[in-house]
Amino acid sequence: MTAVAISSFSSSADAARAAELRRVKALATLVLAGTLALFIAAKTLLHVHPAFGFVAAFAEAATIGGLADWYAVVALFRRPLGLPIPHTAIIQANQHRIADKLGEFIEVHFLEAAPVEAKLRQVDFASFIADWLSDRKRSEDLARFLLRLLPEAISASETSGLKTFVTRRVMTQLQSINLAPLAAGTLRAFLEEGRHQGLLDDLLRGVHGALTQPDTMTAIRAKIRDELPTLLKLYRADAFLLKKIVASATAFFDDVRNDPNHPFRGEFDRMMLTFVDRLSGDPAYADRIDALKRDFLARPELGDLTKNIWSNMQSFIQRSAAGETQVLQHHLANVFVEAGAALANDPEMRAEINQGLVAVLRSFIADQKSGVSSFISDQVKAWDMGQLISLIEINIGKDLQYIRFNGSLIGGLAGLALYTVEFVLRLL
């Protein structure tokens, strides 16, 4: 801490304490002067009455005790009367040692793993986060703050090459995915839930609808006419056959849709299960799916689509950050509020968050505590000792001045006791 930093501690309270310290100092000095004057007066009047001997003994010892404690208090901060007496100005002379010991004390006793962890476990970080996010205004402020950062983050990602790196990593991960087992597992779950039967019904309805379309029927009739002998064409056999085909197909589709136990459904089940089994175990199927995946990822249209999506997203975020649209901000605020409410109602999640934060902070403090110790030591070494001593005196100097009062009183009583013993011995 520099001299400027220490001077920033000045306040009206410090000024009041400084005034009180001056008052107590003056009072202690008056007591010392009083005991000295009393000693001189008692010595002068000693021939008048022996009782003045007791007064003189008390005053003499009180004066010596007061002087000794004045010396002790002053020597703690500076040199008494400016004299180069050894072992005085103790704080100034030991500034570096005090700095190192203070840093070591903080590291060993305040930043030890056990007390730090115990203190951290007393803090419910998750509840604080939940309460903070549940406040609508705070969540809106957070959303607004994040939106202001997003355009710069996106620009930085483009200029720093982060976008290219992420794109390559994503493409590499997609290329490494084995789709065959994934597709087989998904289809198997689909079949176990019976959802493929609904798909079959949809397919039948789609085929029936396509078959009964006028264009489709015209094409089928033309195909039938091409295959019929000329004689049958004269009797319009193509129209008859077309009606029979459409009617038979319609009846078949209706039977399958209306009968859950229709044999065709069982055949469809077997066909799908066979396909899933081959998909999960046949290397040829895996190779085909992998080839399709590579072809799809290599298509230039996919790159163009990705660039278009990125450009649109970037434009939307910039407009949101500029305040042209509030959609994203409101959505983010709602997400934060809902997250806060969900966290408040989930004690297990809060416990996990608290445990995780305790572990992270405990590890961080353990890694940094030596740095904290060094920082404290360096700061104390850089302090302006004159201002620091003034600051210490302002805050604890009043209590130290009472040592002088106590020294005078205890010294005087001790001197009186010794004189009394001497006096009694002389009478014996």
Side-chain angles (χ1 to χ4, degrees):
M1 186 181 298
T2 62
V4 175
I6 294 176
S7 65
S8 65
F9 288 155
S10 303
S11 65
S12 58
D14 288 340
R17 283 193 287 268
E20 180 65 14
L21 174 62
R22 288 192 296 271
R23 187 186 69 80
V24 176
K25 273 186 176 181
L27 183 58
T29 303
L30 286 176
V31 170
L32 180 61
T35 57
L36 179 60
L38 181 61
F39 168 69
I40 295 172
K43 281 290 187 180
T44 303
L45 298 174
L46 186 59
H47 66 280
V48 176
H49 193 279
F52 283 105
F54 291 92
V55 175
F58 174 85
E60 181 182 13
T63 301
I64 294 173
L67 281 172
D69 285 338
W70 166 82
Y71 176 86
V73 170
V74 172
L76 183 64
F77 298 105
R78 56 183 63 86
R79 299 188 182 280
L81 302 177
L83 300 174
I85 303 173
H87 304 295
T88 57
I90 294 173
I91 294 179
Q92 296 183 47
N94 294 276
Q95 179 180 2
H96 284 210
R97 188 166 64 88
I98 292 172
D100 292 335
K101 289 299 180 181
L102 178 61
E104 180 182 340
F105 181 81
I106 295 295
E107 178 181 355
V108 173
H109 296 282
F110 284 86
L111 300 180
E112 189 62 27
V116 166
E117 181 175 355
K119 187 63 179 178
L120 289 174
R121 291 192 180 280
Q122 296 176 5
V123 183
D124 191 351
F125 298 101
S127 293
F128 172 79
I129 295 172
D131 293 340
W132 199 92
L133 290 176
S134 297
D135 185 274
R136 181 74 192 185
K137 184 179 183 305
R138 289 172 178 169
S139 291
E140 289 179 349
D141 292 340
L142 178 60
R144 192 180 304 110
F145 172 75
L146 291 177
L147 281 177
R148 290 174 181 173
L149 294 180
L150 277 178
E152 295 183 6
I154 292 174
S155 299
S157 68
E158 290 181 338
T159 57
S160 65
L162 179 61
K163 175 185 171 183
T164 304
F165 172 77
V166 171
T167 302
R168 289 176 180 174
R169 289 292 301 171
V170 170
M171 293 298 292
T172 302
Q173 292 298 319
L174 290 176
Q175 291 282 8
S176 64
I177 295 175
N178 190 358
L179 289 181
L182 182 63
T186 303
L187 285 175
R188 195 177 299 279
F190 188 77
L191 294 175
E192 290 174 355
E193 295 175 3
R195 297 168 63 181
H196 63 296
Q197 294 294 339
L199 176 62
L200 176 60
D201 292 336
D202 293 338
L203 288 173
L204 293 175
R205 278 192 290 269
V207 172
H208 181 260
L211 183 62
T212 55
Q213 289 289 329
D215 293 342
T216 305
M217 295 181 68
T218 300
I220 294 174
R221 184 175 179 179
K223 185 64 176 176
I224 293 173
R225 284 180 61 86
D226 292 340
E227 299 295 332
L228 287 176
T230 304
L231 182 61
L232 293 179
K233 293 179 182 179
L234 296 175
Y235 291 98
R236 298 175 59 85
D238 54 332
F240 175 78
L241 290 174
L242 177 62
K243 289 181 181 179
K244 283 294 184 181
I245 292 172
V246 172
S248 298
T250 301
F252 174 75
F253 294 152
D254 290 340
D255 289 343
V256 175
R257 285 201 304 268
N258 297 327
D259 186 2
N261 299 317
H262 195 280
F264 184 76
R265 291 186 180 275
E267 188 63 29
F268 184 69
D269 287 344
R270 286 189 294 273
M271 181 184 68
M272 292 297 296
L273 288 172
T274 301
F275 175 73
V276 170
D277 291 337
R278 296 189 66 180
L279 186 62
S280 59
D282 192 340
Y285 273 77
D287 292 340
R288 291 176 192 169
I289 292 177
D290 193 57
L292 289 173
K293 178 190 67 177
R294 289 195 302 270
D295 292 342
F296 174 75
L297 294 177
R299 292 190 66 83
E301 293 86 350
L302 181 62
D304 295 339
L305 177 62
T306 303
K307 291 179 181 178
N308 190 32
I309 292 174
W310 176 264
S311 176
N312 291 335
M313 182 189 70
Q314 187 176 14
S315 174
F316 178 66
I317 290 176
Q318 289 175 346
R319 288 189 291 110
S320 297
E324 297 179 13
T325 173
Q326 303 293 324
V327 175
L328 186 55
Q329 179 180 326
H330 290 325
H331 180 70
L332 281 176
N334 290 334
V335 169
F336 293 145
V337 171
E338 292 172 2
L343 184 58
N345 296 323
D346 192 340
E348 293 183 1
M349 179 62 70
R350 292 200 306 275
E352 291 181 3
I353 291 176
N354 286 333
Q355 184 176 356
L357 286 175
V358 167
V360 171
L361 293 175
R362 179 186 59 204
S363 176
F364 175 78
I365 293 173
D367 293 339
Q368 300 298 324
K369 65 178 183 178
S370 60
V372 173
S373 172
S374 300
F375 174 78
I376 293 174
S377 176
D378 293 341
Q379 291 299 301
V380 174
K381 290 175 182 177
W383 283 350
D384 183 295
M385 291 308 296
Q387 291 196 355
L388 176 62
I389 288 172
S390 298
L391 180 64
I392 295 175
E393 279 192 302
I394 287 173
N395 286 277
I396 66 171
K398 179 181 176 182
D399 295 324
L400 293 177
Q401 293 304 313
Y402 281 104
I403 295 177
R404 298 173 61 185
F405 292 120
N406 295 334
S408 296
L409 177 60
I410 294 173
L413 292 175
L416 180 61
L418 292 174
Y419 183 81
T420 302
V421 172
E422 180 187 0
F423 183 81
V424 171
L425 290 176
R426 282 200 305 265
L427 292 178
L428 295 178

